[in-house]
Amino acid sequence: MYSHYSTAQTCKEAAIQLLSRRDHGQYELRQKLIAKGYASEEADTVIAFCVEHGYLDELRFAESQIRQHVAKGHGERRIRQELTQKRVADVIIEQALLNEPQDWFELAKQTAWKKFKGQQASDQKAYAKQVRFLQYRGFSFEQISYALSEEE
């Protein structure tokens, strides 16, 4: 059996290891470092280091999150809510949405098509179910109306 050198990581090493897997927001990274047992002051110092050296970028994180959510068929409202929960600033969310332009109407239509296999609702109850599904996914009423319309 061989012995490893100390497995205790510094806070900076832990942060860089987390960031090497995927982008994180500052709040998210701070929470993960604190959960690993690092002091909040130490986490703040490391986050400042990561921002300064370009390892941590809120805009890049927001853009990445938008791409992931769009791939899942989520609408703009849901994406905004998720980013707000991750404490991304509204200004950054706006910029990220401008940098990652989407046709939300077509995305709503594709999401509805994928879920309902192109079937129109047979009655009001089925239509309400489709509307609720698309609302949950984060689409506006205009986008839902477009998605569920019979026009191609």
Side-chain angles (χ1 to χ4, degrees):
M1 227 174 163
Y2 62 94
S3 65
H4 274 329
Y5 54 89
S6 174
T7 57
Q9 286 182 311
T10 67
C11 186
K12 188 186 296 183
E13 288 170 340
I16 290 173
Q17 186 177 46
L18 286 167
L19 291 169
S20 71
R21 292 189 193 115
R22 71 169 178 86
D23 277 323
H24 288 69
Q26 290 183 24
Y27 174 75
E28 184 180 43
L29 183 61
R30 185 175 193 280
Q31 294 306 107
K32 285 187 176 185
L33 291 173
I34 290 171
K36 286 181 176 275
Y38 299 107
S40 60
E41 298 81 25
E42 189 178 11
D44 291 338
T45 304
V46 167
I47 287 170
F49 170 84
C50 290
V51 168
E52 183 181 321
H53 288 83
Y55 302 138
L56 186 63
D57 183 343
E58 287 283 292
L59 181 59
R60 187 176 63 218
F61 169 69
E63 290 169 349
S64 168
Q65 290 292 302
I66 290 169
R67 284 189 300 273
Q68 288 177 19
H69 282 283
V70 166
K72 293 177 185 175
H74 294 167
E76 183 178 1
R77 288 179 176 180
R78 171 111 179 237
I79 294 169
R80 283 180 186 277
Q81 179 185 12
E82 297 274 338
L83 288 172
T84 301
Q85 284 178 344
K86 292 181 179 187
R87 307 236 175 122
V88 176
D90 290 338
V91 177
I92 294 189
I93 294 172
E94 289 300 325
Q95 185 61 49
L97 286 167
L98 288 173
N99 292 353
E100 295 289 328
Q102 298 299 321
D103 184 342
W104 300 109
F105 288 89
E106 283 304 316
L107 182 61
K109 195 169 200 76
Q110 289 170 6
T111 302
W113 182 265
K114 186 175 178 182
K115 173 71 175 175
F116 305 115
K117 315 278 189 278
Q119 298 292 319
Q120 291 294 320
S122 56
D123 59 6
Q124 275 303 114
K125 188 175 178 183
Y127 183 78
K129 183 177 179 179
Q130 290 179 354
V131 169
R132 278 194 307 275
F133 171 77
L134 291 171
Q135 280 179 317
Y136 172 74
R137 285 295 181 102
F139 295 104
S140 69
F141 284 112
E142 297 83 24
Q143 293 161 351
I144 292 169
S145 295
Y146 174 80
L148 298 178
S149 69
E150 295 182 31
E151 302 159 11
E152 281 302 314

